[in-house]
Amino acid sequence: MRRALRLVMAVGLSASVALAGPSDNSRLRHGLADAVRQAQAGETIPVVIVLREQADERAIEEASLIRDRDARRRAVVDLLRDTAARTQGDLLARLRDGQAQGLVGERVRPLWIANMVAADLTPAMIAEIARRPDVAYLHLDKVIGDEVFPVMPGRDDGGDGGVLSAITCGVNLIGAPDVWNMGITGSGVVVGVIDTGLCDSHPDIQDHVWTNPGEIPNNNIDDDNNGYVDDIHGWNFQFDNNNTGDSNGHGTHTTGTVAGDGTNGQQTGVAPDAEVMVLEFWNSFSGESTVWEAMQYGVANNADVLTASLGWPHSTNPDRAMWRMVSENTFAAGVATVFAAGNEGSCCGIDNVRTPGDVPDMITAGAVDCNDRIAGFSSRGPVTWEDVAPYFDWPHPPGKLKPTVSAPGVDTLSMDAFSCSGYVFLSGTSMATPHIAGTMALMLQANPDLDHYEIKQILKDTAVDLGQAGEDNAYGHGRIDALAAVDMALSLSCPADIDGNGTLDADDFFAFLDLFAADDPAADITGNGVIDGNDFFAYLDLFAAGC
């Protein structure tokens, strides 16, 4: 399924990508020219320096078709890292010299998820860097407040822990309890939550926060050599430290919808046994590069799912081209990714869905209430990329349908960061997004071989059609159905692939023989609870057919 989907996409790709070079007359983009004019002489301005040369697009496409998920991720990451390492050296050396000269601030963050460097530069340094032949353009890494969060006030909070031992309406509506009854609860799946952090001592989440296996806690050493010191549960990309606590509340709420397990009274999480990786990008203000770095961290540190209940309205002039490149590189690495559509309702035509929810292949979340009615605030498509270089696609009309699917997001009860034990109601596509992320975690436990594109297709194919018949720009393809999505994910799995690496070979055959000899339940191929000759011959049939 994945190979068929991706080979179609590969047609027409160029062998390499080079963005606009020094002949471009608009090297200072997204409001940077105005910021330079208004700045004082020695003031530093947050920017992203986008290099001309980007990773070979055809090579990334080919690497994304590798069936073994670990090998695929390694191949894509190696291509991206190699491009950055080969091309950023001279620029980074000049930025280091600029720091000694007082022209560059303390922040210099080289990134490889796309080939770029985030830094704080004086106007004089911006002018110099803009003239470099290896630089495509500089983008204002604009600070922005809580309007990046598609969230609305909810009704009164749910009080302290233990108010009711109940499953929240959204989790029930999408059929998650039926999936749990199958023994599928998100176990073994890591979900990176890009948000305001997490109160990780909340009883509903404290025993399944992701822990970095390569890091020794609190020894002030980067034990796994990943560039982050003591990144035990994730990282704070705003302040560049390992303090991932939540002083805002938004992140704890969305994390609870992904994986809150109900220990303290309310079952808020769709995938209650998934591990959550804390990727904090905002506490007061932040720029786009902090989210890009959070996505990069998730890819590099083996997150299976990335979820982000945020987005930049087009009125804030986000760097849509870089968002699309970062997103597509993340998809290529096999990491399933979902972003919120936004809370603009139907106000803004083709500029209604926020970036990066507007990225064509992004899984984009719209919101319904628990009666399956579209939320009035939920952003509607379509979107277009006809004026965005270097893509110039999805012309409007008709444009690209958005959102992809919808999920419950009105008066959603989830974990409260401030009591760190109770619950609070919030509304928004922020609340719909983690319902989808939790469903993706369930699907990946059922079939770990699925990639972003396959998960997106399954969500679309199994969604409950709402509104006008067929897909539309309010509900997308409909409201997600966790049970139907997991059932389809299971139908695409291969029971004969014992080691789960996507390749049937002698290792799988002999591994099955060991399981069969040990009367291990994993050898029950027929699923009847008895391990006998029928299972042996059923396995041989599957192996011969290649699943």
Side-chain angles (χ1 to χ4, degrees):
M1 177 180 177
R2 174 167 61 90
R3 184 171 294 273
L5 288 171
R6 305 306 308 286
L7 285 176
V8 171
M9 296 176 59
V11 175
L13 289 176
S14 60
S16 62
V17 176
L19 299 178
S23 61
D24 188 355
N25 293 322
S26 56
R27 307 291 299 282
L28 308 186
R29 298 187 183 176
H30 306 276
L32 181 54
D34 288 340
V36 168
R37 282 191 293 269
Q38 296 165 12
Q40 301 299 315
E43 179 183 349
T44 60
I45 300 169
V47 301
V48 174
I49 306 164
V50 178
L51 281 83
R52 285 197 68 205
E53 185 176 347
Q54 298 292 324
D56 188 316
E57 195 170 343
R58 187 179 296 279
I60 290 176
E61 183 65 34
E62 290 174 354
S64 75
L65 295 172
I66 297 172
R67 195 65 199 170
D68 181 272
R69 60 186 307 202
D70 293 330
R72 175 177 66 232
R73 189 188 301 244
R74 285 195 303 271
V76 171
V77 169
D78 285 348
L79 286 166
L80 295 171
R81 280 180 161 154
D82 289 350
T83 301
R86 179 170 47 80
T87 60
Q88 290 182 6
D90 288 346
L91 173 62
L92 293 174
R94 178 63 191 113
L95 293 176
R96 286 192 293 270
D97 290 343
Q99 286 178 318
Q101 297 167 346
L103 299 173
V104 179
E106 182 178 347
R107 185 183 72 122
V108 175
R109 302 294 295 175
L111 301 178
W112 50 259
I113 192 70
N115 195 9
M116 55 187 166
V117 178
D120 296 332
L121 309 181
T122 62
M125 194 64 172
I126 288 171
E128 176 186 329
I129 297 299
R131 292 192 293 268
R132 291 178 61 99
D134 56 348
V135 170
Y137 62 90
L138 287 84
H139 157 71
L140 178 64
D141 202 12
K142 184 178 180 181
V143 295
I144 190 166
D146 60 3
E147 61 267 32
V148 299
F149 294 123
V151 65
M152 310 286 284
R155 53 193 170 102
D156 290 341
D157 67 66
D160 294 328
V163 287
L164 289 172
S165 182
I167 300 172
T168 61
C169 70
V171 173
N172 260 326
L173 181 66
I174 66 174
D178 294 324
V179 180
W180 308 336
N181 290 336
M182 300 165 60
I184 296 173
T185 56
S187 178
V189 179
V190 177
V191 180
V193 182
I194 304 172
D195 215 300
T196 66
L198 173 67
C199 180
D200 60 15
S201 62
H202 194 293
D204 288 6
I205 204 73
Q206 62 182 353
D207 67 348
H208 50 286
V209 179
W210 174 79
T211 298
N212 185 346
E215 202 72 19
I216 299 172
N218 305 318
N219 66 354
N220 204 33
I221 297 172
D222 181 13
D223 299 289
D224 59 359
N225 198 33
N226 71 350
Y228 303 91
V229 176
D230 287 336
D231 53 321
I232 308 304
H233 300 304
W235 197 251
N236 182 323
F237 297 95
Q238 181 190 4
F239 295 115
D240 196 27
N241 62 37
N242 68 349
N243 180 3
T244 54
D246 186 5
S247 63
N248 176 273
H250 189 275
T252 298
H253 194 279
T254 59
T255 302
T257 300
V258 173
D261 65 11
T263 295
N264 227 35
Q266 290 284 343
Q267 177 60 63
T268 66
V270 176
D273 287 323
E275 294 181 61
V276 291
M277 176 187 289
V278 189
L279 306 174
E280 183 171 348
F281 91 105
W282 181 91
N283 249 345
S284 56
F285 295 98
S286 183
E288 293 162 83
S289 67
T290 62
V291 182
W292 297 334
E293 189 174 0
M295 295 171 74
Q296 175 178 287
Y297 183 98
V299 171
N301 290 278
N302 297 314
D304 301 297
V305 174
L306 289 175
T307 179
S309 292
L310 56 95
W312 269 255
H314 288 185
S315 61
T316 64
N317 206 14
D319 189 347
R320 294 180 68 196
M322 195 49 51
W323 274 110
R324 182 161 169 179
M325 185 174 293
V326 168
S327 298
E328 291 178 350
N329 288 342
T330 301
F331 307 156
V335 183
T337 308
V338 57
F339 271 77
N343 290 346
E344 279 64 52
S346 55
C347 82
C348 314
I350 58 172
D351 290 316
N352 192 21
V353 174
R354 298 186 180 195
T355 302
D358 59 358
V359 169
D361 282 317
M362 182 64 71
I363 298 171
T364 307
V368 298
D369 64 19
C370 282
N371 293 308
D372 270 342
R373 298 174 300 211
I374 191 69
F377 55 73
S378 186
S379 289
R380 277 83 160 160
V383 301
T384 180
W385 287 76
E386 59 188 338
D387 297 323
V388 181
Y391 300 100
F392 302 121
D393 56 2
W394 295 105
H396 181 266
K400 170 67 174 175
L401 178 115
K402 286 288 180 175
T404 311
V405 287
S406 299
V410 177
D411 283 337
T412 297
L413 186 68
S414 191
M415 300 184 324
D416 176 28
F418 300 108
S419 68
C420 210
S421 61
Y423 306 92
V424 64
F425 287 99
L426 290 174
S427 296
T429 53
S430 276
M431 286 59 253
T433 305
H435 281 92
I436 298 173
T439 299
M440 292 155 66
L442 298 176
M443 294 166 66
L444 281 167
Q445 183 186 348
N447 185 350
D449 192 44
L450 297 174
D451 72 1
H452 171 88
Y453 297 93
E454 291 171 320
I455 287 173
K456 179 184 177 188
Q457 191 63 49
I458 291 170
L459 289 170
K460 290 161 54 175
D461 289 345
T462 59
V464 177
D465 188 24
L466 299 172
Q468 66 187 60
E471 62 189 46
D472 59 72
N473 284 296
Y475 296 91
H477 290 262
R479 189 258 301 148
I480 59 168
D481 183 331
L483 178 60
V486 167
D487 281 342
M488 184 172 285
L490 285 168
S491 74
L492 297 174
S493 65
C494 177
D497 182 16
I498 302 298
D499 59 16
N501 68 357
T503 303
L504 281 183
D505 53 25
D507 290 340
D508 296 297
F509 183 79
F510 289 115
F512 173 75
L513 291 182
D514 289 341
L515 295 171
F516 187 82
D519 210 31
D520 191 295
D524 183 15
I525 302 299
T526 60
N528 65 357
V530 178
I531 299 170
D532 55 21
N534 291 326
D535 296 294
F536 182 82
F537 290 111
Y539 183 82
L540 289 181
D541 288 342
L542 288 170
F543 190 87
C547 286

